[in-house]
Amino acid sequence: MRQITPSFYFIKELYRTSPDASAHITGNTDYPSLTGTVSFYQSPYTGLLIQAEIRGLPSGSNTPSSENNESSFFAMHIHEYGDCTPPFDKTGMHYNPQNTLHPMHAGDLVPLLGNHGYAWCVFYDERFTLPEIIGRSVIIHRNPDDFHTQPSGNSGEKIGCGTIRWVE
């Protein structure tokens, strides 16, 4: 007998409803073809379902960790402010309402795995609510997060940014 797990409800949310909020990601001047969307869905549980689809990520020999491979990791974080004017230097630090050490900030999201410049992922998070993050930004960083360097994981340049807004 098949057991119904949270993933059953998550899949239904993704394909039957529109997101409650989203951030439309654009690249900085060095990565003008970087684009995508990070979508936020209310779930039947206490947290949010988050889906990211990003295109135009650096790949191949342009990526520090690639060693001529077409797959690379990129850090993805929610930052304090939603000003995505390039070079994205007005987004502040990671969203961190509990004043915790990295990588336990509420804004520390899962890494993106880019393949030939494309990344898609879905994950569940209950460290923040939609009203808490509306108006903040989602940042895509050039490097993977090392998960220990303070305060931001040594994740490098901000190459993509999008302001989180309600979907109407």
Side-chain angles (χ1 to χ4, degrees), residues 64-118:
S65 63
S66 70
E67 298 178 19
N68 295 322
N69 188 332
E70 291 297 324
S71 296
S72 302
F73 283 99
F74 300 88
M76 180 170 61
H77 303 123
I78 295 175
H79 281 245
E80 296 172 299
Y81 310 116
D83 186 344
C84 285
T85 306
F88 314 140
D89 58 347
K90 296 178 181 143
T91 58
M93 302 299 287
H94 292 183
Y95 175 57
N96 188 11
Q98 302 299 324
N99 197 28
T100 60
L101 292 175
H102 182 76
M104 301 309 294
H105 304 156
D108 293 329
L109 303 179
V110 300
L112 291 173
L113 174 58
N115 287 290
H116 297 277
Y118 175 80

Side-chain angles (χ1 to χ4, degrees), residues 28 127 132 149:
N28 66 15
R127 294 174 296 156
E132 292 171 347
T149 302

Side-chain angles (χ1 to χ4, degrees), residues 3-165:
Q3 180 181 3
I4 298 200
T5 65
S7 67
F8 174 80
Y9 297 105
F10 295 160
I11 291 167
K12 279 179 46 177
E13 283 292 311
L14 288 175
Y15 294 105
R16 293 184 61 168
T17 63
S18 296
D20 297 291
S22 67
H24 297 284
I25 307 297
T26 58
N28 66 15
T29 54
D30 291 335
Y31 300 96
S33 63
L34 193 151
T35 186
T37 304
V38 179
S39 301
F40 300 85
Y41 298 81
Q42 296 282 1
S43 80
Y45 301 96
T46 58
L48 300 173
L49 188 61
I50 302 164
Q51 175 181 265
E53 184 173 24
I54 310 296
R55 294 167 297 287
L57 291 163
S59 65
S61 60
N62 297 328
T63 306
S65 63
S66 70
E67 298 178 19
N68 295 322
N69 188 332
E70 291 297 324
S71 296
S72 302
F73 283 99
F74 300 88
M76 180 170 61
H77 303 123
I78 295 175
H79 281 245
E80 296 172 299
Y81 310 116
D83 186 344
C84 285
T85 306
F88 314 140
D89 58 347
K90 296 178 181 143
T91 58
M93 302 299 287
H94 292 183
Y95 175 57
N96 188 11
Q98 302 299 324
N99 197 28
T100 60
L101 292 175
H102 182 76
M104 301 309 294
H105 304 156
D108 293 329
L109 303 179
V110 300
L112 291 173
L113 174 58
N115 287 290
H116 297 277
Y118 175 80
W120 183 82
C121 71
V122 177
F123 58 97
Y124 175 78
D125 198 316
E126 56 183 34
R127 294 174 296 156
F128 49 82
T129 65
L130 280 177
E132 292 171 347
I133 61 169
I134 294 297
R136 301 185 191 284
S137 58
V138 174
I139 293 289
I140 309 298
H141 290 272
R142 179 71 171 86
N143 300 328
D145 192 317
D146 68 14
F147 299 110
H148 61 82
T149 302
Q150 299 302 323
S152 62
N154 196 28
S155 50
E157 176 187 11
K158 298 172 182 177
I159 63 171
C161 184
T163 303
I164 303 167
R165 302 184 193 287

